[in-house]
Amino acid sequence: MVFLQLGTIWSIAAQEKAVPRFQDGEAQVVAAFNTPKKWIRHDLFVETTFDTDGDGLLDRMHVDVTRPYQTETEGLKLPVIYESSPYYAGVAPEVDGFFWDVHHELGEKGKPRVHPEVVRTGKRPIISNSQIETWVPRGYIVVHSSSPGTGRSQGAPTVGGDNESLAPKAVIDWLNGRAKGYSEPYGGEEVKAYWSTGKVGMTGTSYNGTIPLAAATTGVDGLEVIIPVAPNTSYYHYYRSHGLIRSPGGYLGEDIDVLFDFIHSGDASKRAHNNATIRDDVMKNGMDRITGDYNAFWAGRDYLNDMAPMKAALLMSHGFNDWNVMPEHSYRIYKKAREMGLEAGIYYHQFGHGGPPPLDMMNRWFTHYLHGVDNGIEKEPNRAWIVREDDNITNPTPYKDYPNPDAEDLTLYPVSGAPEIGGLSPLRVPNQEPETLIDNYSFNGEALARAEITSHRLLYVTPKLSRDLHISGVPKITITLASSKPAVNLSVWILSLPWDDSRMAKTTDNIITRGWADPQNHNSLTRGEPLKVGEYYEVSFELQPDDQVIKAGQQIGLMIFSSDKDFTLHPKPGTKLAVDLDRTYVTLPVVGGLDAFKTAMND
């Protein structure tokens, strides 16, 4: 009888053990896990397979862990949400001279820049508190790591080099028992992840969103799903555009060596070695701020080139008006993932940098791939979720795919009008005279778009729309031009006009999309050639992807100009660009194609 009573008590106790709970395909907050004061928090150092700081020892990555106490007291094993970053331990101050001076001619060297030191911040064992309050109460363990050469992680930052892919791989290997972790950066006792199921999901924003993709390109077992938010997927596309030296929005003069200095918060005794070998050798000899051409250095920092081993499910997230890490970064990876047959989805909103998918969407993806709950996420007919212009960021509209499958290319041709405003028509007007603009970086894009008359841009607009017009996809531009100098900036904006300068105006009320190119690269992205003064060249390139409904009453505008004050170098004003209108056109992906456009023009 005693044994029966004890067995019954044991059975009841077993039933009361805390376990993850799911409802409607989502992990729910479990009261027993939602106990911050009882969470177990500790750190360790995971050994990698590389030595990038030159000390003859394999680099170790600093890792922290936050887990429910039941993983210790009840033998509970849980999956992991993992975020890695170069920013956790502080960044360099933006002192005068930190960024490259952009006031010089194309093809010339800029002035030497200043290299400030990072003062490392943070104390063990906590690296970051991100993700913890969201996911630990829902039955996950949260792990963070500082990327190589930052914080207490050893090694050197390479800004997209192989070690920044292999470092998170090592952490995931450790979570699966395939790599070793230690209690200290040197020596120390071995630490094992006995509380991990081995299933890992990664997320993060910007650089923190790049690292999940970097890890996934290694094909590491255990990394089941990644949700990168506004990730930089190619450092060439971040710092260059179709051969042109172009800054990310808000950081005029930034380049890859600037970012190296910005994040280099690792061991101060190793910094001189890292500076000499990475910044002052590999980067200096590879980044090429003279021509802006694509080369082996940039190819090695383009994750699209490394996707063959990737097998993790992918949910991309980005803003169509992110002019820092531009929307092409997510689309190019999503498109490739779909071509590879990976389980992939994409979430786009109409705002700027950052902005993760709604929590319920992230929850369903993590729940399916990490807890194994059959919530149908991989069977959904819609693979794209777009936040419409006036909707809340948490309320996206589902579509079968991105671009919208009903979008068709619509070609529009400029009709002369300079220095005033010309037309933009689906009908080609033959035998037009070339029109000319004069480069002057003193006028930013907004000023040029708002001007009724100016010699510093060419602007062509459609009639007013009588109905809304939906654009979805990647616009393309072909411009045939001649320059008065061997090198010149080329900038293109697609606009929604008239310009709305009211306090309530949104980015989508004015700018549809943008693009930049170096005409010297008209034949090759890897080898530009100086332009012959006065000779015409055909330059074709893609603009940034978009999905936007242009409202009735607006006009679509094509603006062609040279230096873009907020993005390009600032050469001395005065370069003349002549545009052959007969051989210039823009292609817009319009839902419903030409018929939809005609309807919007004729009603």
Side-chain angles (χ1 to χ4, degrees):
M1 188 70 174
V2 173
F3 288 105
L4 288 175
Q5 289 176 339
L6 289 174
T8 301
I9 293 171
W10 180 88
S11 177
I12 294 173
Q15 291 175 4
E16 292 177 349
K17 284 186 176 182
V19 294
R21 186 165 55 86
F22 309 97
Q23 182 177 333
D24 298 326
E26 299 178 30
Q28 303 296 302
V29 173
V30 176
F33 298 154
N34 196 17
T35 55
K37 290 183 179 180
K38 293 185 178 181
W39 288 340
I40 298 172
R41 305 199 69 171
H42 58 97
D43 69 339
L44 66 143
F45 297 83
V46 170
E47 189 169 85
T48 69
T49 56
F50 53 82
D51 169 24
T52 52
D53 54 19
D55 63 0
L57 302 172
L58 293 177
D59 298 336
R60 293 183 181 181
M61 297 300 105
H62 187 207
V63 177
D64 78 6
V65 178
T66 303
R67 51 192 174 96
Y69 70 88
Q70 293 87 351
T71 58
E72 197 70 33
T73 62
E74 298 177 7
L76 180 65
K77 292 187 176 184
L78 293 172
V80 171
I81 304 295
Y82 172 28
E83 181 175 4
S84 183
S85 176
Y87 299 134
Y88 290 144
V91 294
E94 295 182 12
V95 299
D96 289 343
F98 182 40
F99 296 101
W100 285 95
D101 187 347
V102 298
H103 293 85
H104 61 83
E105 298 298 311
L106 278 67
E108 292 184 359
K109 290 184 178 181
K111 298 177 182 177
R113 44 173 295 269
V114 174
H115 304 291
E117 290 283 324
V118 183
V119 176
R120 188 171 71 192
T121 61
K123 296 181 180 180
R124 295 179 65 182
I126 297 171
I127 296 176
S128 172
N129 288 310
S130 71
Q131 313 296 339
I132 292 172
E133 291 184 0
T134 300
W135 300 113
V136 173
R138 288 177 167 84
Y140 295 90
I141 294 163
V142 171
V143 167
H144 302 98
S145 71
S146 291
S147 60
T150 72
R152 288 176 172 78
S153 284
Q154 298 166 356
T158 57
V159 192
D162 288 345
N163 68 332
E164 292 188 2
S165 299
L166 296 173
K169 177 185 183 298
V171 175
I172 296 166
D173 280 336
W174 172 71
L175 289 166
N176 281 273
R178 298 187 298 266
K180 291 189 175 182
Y182 297 91
S183 60
E184 300 298 331
Y186 299 97
E189 297 179 357
E190 187 173 351
V191 180
K192 295 187 177 182
Y194 51 84
W195 30 258
S196 166
T197 64
K199 291 186 177 295
V200 181
M202 293 188 72
T203 190
T205 298
S206 199
Y207 209 138
N208 300 17
T210 300
I211 295 174
L213 177 61
T217 61
T218 69
V220 59
D221 289 337
L223 181 57
E224 305 296 331
V225 57
I226 61 173
I227 306 180
V229 181
N232 180 343
T233 65
S234 162
Y235 285 93
Y236 184 84
H237 288 77
Y238 190 59
Y239 293 117
R240 307 287 185 267
S241 181
H242 304 290
L244 193 70
I245 296 169
R246 188 218 63 212
S247 304
Y251 299 92
L252 190 64
E254 186 185 328
D255 212 322
I256 195 166
D257 61 335
V258 178
L259 185 53
F260 173 93
D261 285 335
F262 190 65
I263 66 173
H264 195 190
S265 59
D267 187 345
S269 70
K270 305 293 179 63
R271 292 185 192 177
H273 172 273
N274 296 344
N275 291 342
T277 56
I278 305 299
R279 186 192 66 197
D280 302 332
D281 185 3
V282 175
M283 289 182 175
K284 181 180 179 180
N285 294 323
M287 58 191 279
D288 182 15
R289 279 187 67 84
I290 302 300
T291 72
D293 293 346
Y294 190 74
N295 57 26
F297 171 82
W298 294 113
R301 286 163 170 77
D302 186 340
Y303 292 105
L304 188 68
N305 298 331
D306 299 332
M307 287 182 65
M310 182 171 165
K311 55 192 177 186
L314 168 71
L315 175 60
M316 275 293 190
S317 178
H318 220 117
F320 279 123
N321 293 285
D322 185 348
W323 304 114
N324 177 4
V325 181
M326 300 193 187
E328 66 179 340
H329 282 270
S330 285
Y331 173 61
R332 60 203 298 273
I333 300 298
Y334 168 74
K335 179 182 177 183
K336 179 66 174 179
R338 293 280 280 161
E339 291 171 354
M340 292 170 60
L342 298 178
E343 294 176 5
I346 194 162
Y347 164 87
Y348 268 122
H349 57 79
Q350 303 292 341
F351 302 97
H353 190 50
L359 178 59
D360 62 340
M361 183 180 292
M362 295 182 69
N363 193 331
R364 286 174 61 80
W365 280 68
F366 283 147
T367 293
H368 175 72
Y369 292 105
L370 301 183
H371 279 292
V373 173
D374 185 11
N375 57 17
I377 197 71
E378 82 286 9
K379 302 172 187 175
E380 289 188 5
N382 301 305
R383 306 314 301 167
W385 294 267
I386 311 294
V387 178
R388 294 271 47 103
E389 290 70 14
D390 298 320
D391 288 346
N392 188 282
I393 195 168
T394 62
N395 185 32
T397 299
Y399 294 92
K400 289 183 179 179
D401 206 350
Y402 179 81
N404 190 309
D406 295 328
E408 300 174 11
D409 283 346
L410 170 69
T411 301
L412 299 175
Y413 303 92
V415 180
S416 61
E420 300 179 49
I421 300 173
L424 193 61
S425 169
L427 301 176
R428 188 193 298 267
V429 178
N431 303 319
Q432 299 186 87
E433 292 294 322
E435 295 198 323
T436 303
L437 66 91
I438 301 172
D439 182 26
N440 191 335
Y441 70 83
S442 298
F443 301 93
N444 66 17
E446 178 180 343
L448 296 176
R450 291 162 57 94
E452 294 183 7
I453 301 176
T454 176
S455 62
H456 302 302
R457 58 93 176 110
L458 301 176
L459 179 57
Y460 308 96
V461 303
T462 66
K464 287 185 179 180
L465 302 177
S466 57
R467 289 190 182 185
D468 294 353
L469 193 69
H470 187 178
I471 294 173
S472 178
V474 183
K476 304 175 185 67
I477 185 77
T478 293
I479 301 175
T480 302
L481 57 80
S483 171
S484 65
K485 285 186 178 180
V488 63
N489 291 317
L490 178 61
S491 303
V492 172
W493 286 16
I494 306 296
L495 301 165
S496 177
L497 298 172
W499 191 279
D500 184 353
D501 59 0
S502 68
R503 293 180 62 183
M504 300 300 293
K506 304 184 294 293
T507 304
T508 52
D509 292 332
N510 298 312
I511 298 172
I512 298 174
T513 188
R514 313 191 238 208
W516 303 262
D518 185 348
Q520 296 179 104
N521 292 90
H522 60 277
N523 279 330
S524 171
L525 189 60
T526 60
R527 185 180 178 184
E529 54 187 48
L531 306 176
K532 295 180 181 178
V533 173
E535 184 170 320
Y536 280 89
Y537 297 87
E538 183 180 280
V539 183
S540 297
F541 57 98
E542 293 182 343
L543 308 181
Q544 291 298 315
D546 194 34
D547 191 296
Q548 185 171 335
V549 175
I550 314 303
K551 299 296 185 181
Q554 293 295 105
Q555 297 171 278
I556 298 174
L558 165 63
M559 185 169 74
I560 302 169
F561 59 117
S562 184
S563 297
D564 190 330
K565 185 175 183 178
D566 297 324
F567 293 91
T568 68
L569 298 179
H570 292 176
K572 184 179 179 180
T575 302
K576 293 182 180 180
L577 276 183
V579 175
D580 183 343
L581 299 187
D582 290 350
R583 294 186 288 166
T584 294
Y585 52 90
V586 62
T587 302
L588 301 180
V590 174
V591 175
L594 180 59
D595 288 342
F597 182 80
K598 286 181 176 179
T599 299
M601 292 292 105
N602 296 328
D603 276 11

